């Protein structure tokens, strides 16, 4: 039966982690010399965020990082994935570095080291310095060079203190949601511009890898892509064709340049190329070897060519985001990638669920989240058993936080955050995750791989 592996074995070296990003948790938006980012501008623009909130304070992690790392340690995880806010360390995205900004990340890394938690650093989780946006942002090819300079500086300072450095988190979101539909910062609704932006993001990734390798950074280098399988809603030719195109535009559009040095034909034939410029040499820059690939998986795409589109039945339910719970998609996705590309080691860098959590007498009973994680780990184990080389899993997210245009209304965390008091409460799912990891660790210490009940 699918997703019901009763026992599964993760290798002893498997990495268990939790993930966050800068703008979603740090707050301290105008402190210690941080420059404004496109998300500051966007959140302070009327009508962009459902609950009219901003990341000005968020989870106040900038001031509470030490307490937060203690909470991370209590989860038994052996990895923490976070991002550096570019405008905190280089307020204008070019020129002067902000030492106070670097000091914050240095303190965070010290604290993680004290707790023996390896750090996984992301360079770009969507908070472009506003000064670069004023100059054209990701539509301006020069931003790719600025990004490579920023990457090299972060790697020079922190490369020996982190396990991995990721260039971009989910470039699809920056391109499509940020520039195609306008739901995310910088709020541009121009599909042709989104295509050019995606190319510049990929190019900046390749230039950044080269810049970091030129200084011999010891950190492992990679990129994180959000991916899904595309299931045709019916067996009709129209649904099948639409699903194939969806996969080409969202998954292969990012994978092919990196692993094959070109864009997928099917997508190229079906996009607005009026504003598209890519040189042959760009593909040499983009196609740099990766030490790892990060895969973020939440749900599948259910693709219908009908009007109105057919919706999935959702036998396992839906998240508070309205996303179908579909763990089998993780197995299918990984096996598909494994067949099509020569993959480096993979980390599941994000997987998680928004639940309308309620706190009751200091307790959050979020069984749905535990079930979600358990089913996805079983799905992951299935893919690994069939030959996919996965090295780690990061739950998104460590704590409830600023969920972009959904504001604070959606809760993805293992820790519940009361935004009025900033009190963190460990949810039941976090206790399950903690105990699950402890079981894995015990098996590792006993010199075997763990057979852990996932169902
Ligand atoms: O919160 C986001 C994260 O920033 C990027 N990946 C998806 C998450 C949930 O929507």
């Amino acid at each position: 039966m699918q997703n019901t592996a009763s026992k599964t074995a993760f290798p002893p070296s498997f990495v268990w982690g939790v993930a966050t990003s800068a703008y979603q948790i740090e707050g301290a938006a105008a402190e210690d010399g941080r420059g404004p980012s496109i998300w500051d501008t966007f959140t302070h623009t009327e009508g962009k965020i459902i609950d009219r909130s901003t990341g000005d304070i968020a989870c106040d992690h900038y001031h509470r990082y030490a307490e937060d790392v203690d909470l991370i340690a209590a989860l038994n995880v052996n990895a923490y994935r976070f991002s550096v806010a570019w405008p905190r360390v280089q307020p204008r995205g070019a020129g002067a570095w902000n030492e106070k900004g670097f000091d914050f990340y240095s303190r965070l890394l010290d604290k993680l080291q004290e707790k023996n938690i390896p750090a996984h650093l992301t360079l770009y989780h969507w908070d472009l310095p506003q000064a670069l946006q004023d100059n054209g942002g990701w539509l301006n090819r020069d931003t790719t060079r600025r990004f490579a300079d920023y990457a090299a500086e972060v790697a020079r300072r922190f490369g020996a203190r982190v396990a991995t450095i990721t260039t971009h988190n989910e470039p699809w979101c920056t391109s499509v949601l940020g520039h195609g539909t306008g739901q995310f910062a910088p709020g541009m609704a121009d599909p042709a511009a989104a295509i050019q932006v995606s190319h510049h993001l990929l190019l900046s990734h390749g230039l950044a890898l080269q810049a970091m390798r030129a200084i011999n950074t010891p950190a492992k280098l990679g990129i994180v892509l959000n991916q899904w399988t595309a299931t045709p809603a019916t067996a009709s030719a129209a649904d099948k064709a639409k699903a194939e195109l969806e996969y080409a535009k969202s998954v292969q559009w990012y994978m092919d340049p990196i692993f094959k040095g070109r864009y997928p034909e099917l997508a190229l034939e079906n996009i607005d190329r009026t504003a598209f410029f890519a040189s042959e040499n760009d593909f040499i820059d983009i196609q740099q070897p990766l030490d790892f690939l990060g895969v973020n998986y939440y749900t599948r795409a259910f693709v219908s060519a009908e009007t109105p589109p057919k919706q999935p039945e959702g036998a396992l339910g839906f998240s508070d985001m309205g996303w179908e719970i579909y763990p089998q998609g993780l197995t299918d996705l990984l096996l598909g990638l494994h067949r099509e590309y020569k993959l480096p080691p993979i980390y599941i860098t994000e997987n998680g669920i928004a639940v309308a959590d309620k706190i009751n007498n200091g307790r959050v009973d979020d069984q749905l989240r535990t079930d979600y994680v358990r089913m996805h780990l079983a799905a992951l184990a299935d893919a690994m058993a069939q030959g996919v080389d996965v090295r780690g899993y990061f739950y998104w997210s460590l704590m409830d936080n600023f969920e972009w245009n959904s504001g604070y209304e959606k809760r993805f965390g293992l820790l519940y955050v009361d935004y009025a008091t900033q009190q963190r409460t460990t949810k039941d799912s976090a206790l399950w995750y903690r105990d699950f990891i402890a079981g894995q660790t015990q098996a590792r210490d006993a010199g075997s791989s763990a057979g852990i009940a996932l169902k």
Side-chain angles (χ1 to χ4, degrees):
M1 208 205 296
Q2 65 182 24
N3 302 317
T4 54
S6 63
K7 295 261 180 194
T8 195
F10 288 97
S13 58
F14 203 75
V15 167
W16 296 101
V18 286
T20 62
S21 88
Y23 190 73
Q24 292 179 275
I25 65 165
E26 283 180 3
E31 219 164 304
D32 290 340
R34 176 186 178 278
S37 82
I38 54 174
W39 271 96
D40 296 292
T41 309
F42 192 72
T43 55
H44 285 269
T45 306
E46 187 62 37
K48 301 293 186 194
I49 311 298
I50 279 179
D51 59 2
R52 298 179 158 188
S53 60
T54 72
D56 288 2
I57 299 173
C59 303
D60 195 31
H61 172 75
Y62 189 76
H63 301 111
R64 294 167 195 264
Y65 73 90
E67 173 201 336
D68 288 339
V69 173
D70 287 338
L71 290 166
I72 296 171
L75 295 175
N76 289 330
V77 297
N78 58 2
Y80 175 53
R81 174 175 180 253
F82 68 98
S83 76
V84 170
W86 185 354
R88 200 179 281 294
V89 300
Q90 194 181 32
R92 299 190 54 77
W97 304 106
N98 180 27
E99 292 307 322
K100 285 188 171 170
F102 279 118
D103 287 350
F104 165 68
Y105 296 107
S106 186
R107 290 195 298 277
L108 173 65
L109 291 174
D110 284 344
K111 180 74 193 179
L112 287 166
Q113 192 181 356
E114 178 198 316
K115 292 287 174 184
N116 271 319
I117 302 171
H120 296 254
L121 183 156
T122 298
L123 290 164
Y124 190 77
H125 201 122
W126 309 350
D127 40 3
L128 188 74
Q130 181 60 42
L132 291 184
Q133 186 63 42
D134 297 342
N135 220 8
W138 288 112
L139 269 174
N140 182 345
R141 201 175 158 94
D142 184 59
T143 300
T144 64
R145 291 270 160 213
R146 303 285 69 77
F147 182 69
D149 290 350
Y150 157 63
E153 184 64 15
V154 172
R156 188 180 71 73
R157 292 175 184 245
F158 296 144
R161 299 173 67 190
V162 300
T164 66
I165 298 180
T166 289
T167 53
H168 285 283
N169 180 73
E170 303 185 346
W172 179 91
C173 291
T174 302
S175 162
V176 174
L177 304 181
H179 297 80
T181 67
Q183 290 156 276
F184 280 11
M188 195 177 288
D190 178 350
I195 298 297
Q196 190 62 44
V197 164
S198 68
H199 183 68
H200 286 160
L201 291 168
L202 285 162
L203 179 59
S204 73
H205 153 79
L207 295 177
L209 284 192
Q210 293 174 66
M212 292 190 282
R213 287 198 171 121
I215 59 160
N216 292 318
T217 186
K220 300 276 188 216
L221 307 179
I223 189 169
V224 167
L225 304 176
N226 51 325
Q227 301 188 325
W228 43 79
T229 48
T231 313
T234 70
S236 77
D239 284 356
K240 278 190 188 160
K242 195 168 176 192
E244 213 181 309
L245 181 57
E246 161 61 24
Y247 190 74
K249 281 174 151 184
S250 51
V251 176
Q252 293 168 320
W253 186 262
Y254 296 90
M255 291 291 287
D256 283 14
I258 293 173
F259 292 100
K260 299 179 177 173
R262 57 178 155 78
Y263 285 109
E265 266 316 309
L266 178 64
L268 273 178
E269 286 161 9
N270 285 280
I271 55 160
D272 182 347
R273 275 191 279 170
T274 44
F276 189 44
F277 172 77
S279 84
E280 277 304 312
N281 282 341
D282 289 352
F283 293 97
I284 297 169
D285 284 326
I286 294 170
Q287 203 184 357
Q288 299 299 312
L290 298 184
D291 297 324
F292 69 92
L293 171 69
V295 171
N296 292 356
Y297 176 82
Y298 289 88
T299 188
R300 66 173 166 176
F302 188 79
V303 185
S304 165
E306 290 172 30
T307 320
K310 267 206 162 54
Q311 299 301 320
E313 270 173 34
L316 297 171
F318 294 84
S319 78
D320 198 33
M321 300 292 284
W323 300 346
E324 184 193 9
I325 299 173
Y326 193 71
Q328 180 65 36
L330 179 57
T331 315
D332 297 344
L333 171 70
L334 292 174
L335 291 177
L337 296 176
H338 183 56
R339 274 192 300 271
E340 189 175 352
Y341 302 98
K342 205 170 161 347
L343 297 172
I346 287 182
Y347 290 93
I348 304 303
T349 30
E350 287 182 26
N351 175 242
I353 181 170
V355 178
D357 296 314
K358 295 277 174 285
I359 187 157
N360 245 322
N361 294 325
R363 186 179 158 206
V364 180
D365 173 1
D366 58 340
Q367 187 60 42
L368 182 60
R369 181 170 288 108
T370 300
D371 291 345
Y372 180 95
V373 175
R374 207 194 335 235
M375 288 189 290
H376 283 81
L377 290 179
L380 181 57
D382 279 353
M384 291 167 69
Q386 292 175 69
V388 186
D389 179 7
V390 183
R391 304 284 174 94
Y393 172 92
F394 292 76
Y395 180 79
W396 180 273
S397 177
L398 165 67
M399 56 187 157
D400 298 337
N401 57 44
F402 178 75
E403 179 54 25
W404 309 111
N405 58 347
S406 301
Y408 295 97
E409 288 186 356
K410 303 297 176 197
R411 294 181 177 272
F412 276 88
L414 291 175
L415 306 178
Y416 183 93
V417 177
D418 176 336
Y419 295 107
T421 62
Q422 290 295 349
Q423 196 182 339
R424 282 86 159 120
T425 300
T426 304
K427 299 180 191 176
D428 286 2
S429 59
L431 300 176
W432 179 86
Y433 193 48
R434 176 197 69 186
D435 294 346
F436 175 79
I437 297 169
Q440 295 286 317
T441 312
Q442 276 158 19
R444 182 187 64 204
D445 293 346
S448 65
S449 53
I452 300 290
L454 281 173
K455 266 279 174 183

